[in-house]
Amino acid sequence: MSGRVVAIIQGRMGSSRLPGKILADIAGQPMLQRVFIRTSRASSLSETLFATTTDPSDDPVAEYCDFSGIPFTRGSLYDVLDRYYQAAKQAKAAVVVRITADCPVIDPALIDDVVNTLQGGEYDFVCNRLPPPWHRTYPIGLDVEACSFNMLEKAWKDATEPQHREHAMPYFYEGVELERESRTLERGVSPRGFRVALLHHTGDFGDYRWTVDTAEDLEFIRQVYARFDGRDDFTWKEVLELVHNEPRLMEINAGVRHKTLKDVDERAKGR
């Protein structure tokens, strides 16, 4: 699978649980900048861009990206699948990598793992996490999904359910039954015929929460960055070592419930 590999980071100001979080300061830089820089370091990528919405509330996001030299597009507020498709089409992507703007410790090495597995040619969709009921082993906040542009276009044309449109890529894996191929890979074919691969870590850290959905999450991430003196080149394994050495850090956001695939933004229903 050759051609341009484009990471598209989705984000908007109107988060249901922590509005404005993507511009929240983390050690001197807004979160979206942190995510953009870390994502861009993946060697498998041709380009990284930010995909926000055309809603007026996201004007500050567009202004920040423009000021900072971050390539960006603006699209549908709730139809995230369409936002991805239009951004990928504009970027002439052959492979599309989905990253979310609330993952400021995203690791470029994990992005490369997912992209390289997809480019091996055996799969239509590759990720390192799937929502429940599937089991994940990487911490929440290191989430990477990738597919070819052709597969994204097929989903864009065919997917009709609200969760397919708002969560961008569940159309590929919904209902898939996975079989263990190795310690680090599960594979299967979804009911819609997509070849799916789920990557795993050898240890199970799937209940560790390193994403930003709440004020508690943001405080946790700020503490992590403070431990690394505001640097952004630390690896996810260094974060793992940190929280194991300082277990009290993970108590900061231990009570936060993670959203599921069935959580569709209620505001979308009135569009």
Side-chain angles (χ1 to χ4, degrees):
M1 194 181 296
S2 59
R4 287 170 52 77
V5 180
V6 179
I8 300 174
I9 304 167
Q10 71 179 73
R12 60 186 175 100
M13 292 292 281
S15 161
S16 58
R17 291 206 274 186
L18 189 61
K21 67 183 181 182
I22 65 172
L23 289 180
D25 181 84
I26 298 174
Q29 291 184 4
M31 181 159 65
L32 74 82
Q33 179 86 41
R34 295 294 191 182
V35 178
F36 178 80
I37 289 171
R38 290 179 65 88
T39 299
S40 299
R41 289 202 176 102
S43 60
S44 58
L45 299 178
S46 310
E47 182 182 4
T48 302
L49 61 87
F50 201 87
T52 192
T53 86
T54 54
D55 191 81
S57 66
D58 285 317
D59 288 350
V61 178
E63 289 166 10
Y64 181 83
C65 288
D66 197 34
F67 174 77
S68 304
I70 296 174
F72 72 98
T73 62
R74 302 185 73 170
S76 175
L77 180 60
Y78 296 116
D79 189 346
V80 182
L81 178 53
D82 183 68
R83 203 192 314 168
Y84 263 87
Y85 173 73
Q86 302 299 342
K89 189 176 180 181
Q90 182 176 318
K92 296 180 170 57
V95 171
V96 180
V97 181
R98 178 180 180 238
I99 306 291
T100 57
D102 52 9
C103 294
V105 295
I106 191 73
D107 194 304
L110 299 183
I111 296 172
D112 289 337
D113 287 346
V114 169
V115 171
N116 293 337
T117 303
L118 182 74
Q119 290 187 314
E122 291 184 53
Y123 306 107
D124 300 311
F125 172 83
V126 180
C127 59
N128 63 358
R129 50 65 74 187
L130 287 175
W134 294 279
H135 184 70
R136 65 180 298 150
T137 52
Y138 284 102
I140 299 164
L142 299 178
D143 304 6
V144 184
E145 298 177 352
C147 66
S148 70
F149 177 79
N150 290 340
M151 292 296 109
L152 184 71
E153 186 168 56
K154 179 173 175 54
W156 175 76
K157 288 177 179 176
D158 297 344
T160 57
E161 296 296 321
Q163 72 270 21
H164 298 156
R165 308 303 301 193
E166 185 175 329
H167 295 285
M169 294 188 176
Y171 188 78
F172 297 124
Y173 58 78
E174 199 172 61
V176 70
E177 293 186 8
L178 298 172
E179 293 184 359
R180 180 71 67 166
E181 180 79 6
S182 68
R183 290 182 69 194
T184 57
L185 189 145
E186 285 184 286
R187 62 190 296 176
V189 178
S190 78
R192 296 187 179 95
F194 296 107
R195 299 168 299 164
V196 174
L198 172 60
L199 303 187
H200 286 289
H201 186 57
T202 49
D204 188 347
F205 306 107
D207 58 347
Y208 288 22
R209 184 177 172 81
W210 300 353
T211 189
V212 177
D213 251 345
T214 68
E216 293 85 356
D217 294 332
L218 182 59
E219 177 58 24
F220 168 76
I221 290 293
R222 285 172 169 166
Q223 292 292 334
V224 169
Y225 268 84
R227 298 303 192 281
F228 292 105
D229 300 318
R231 290 176 17 239
D232 53 28
D233 58 351
F234 54 87
T235 68
W236 82 272
K237 288 185 178 178
E238 287 180 278
V239 181
L240 193 64
E241 183 179 10
L242 170 66
V243 298
H244 286 170
N245 288 337
E246 292 189 54
R248 284 190 174 181
L249 281 175
M250 290 211 297
E251 293 176 11
I252 295 172
N253 63 344
V256 178
R257 183 188 74 88
H258 190 59
K259 289 194 291 188
T260 72
L261 187 62
K262 293 181 180 178
D263 287 322
V264 175
D265 197 315
E266 292 296 318
R267 295 168 295 181
K269 295 178 181 178
R271 67 182 179 214

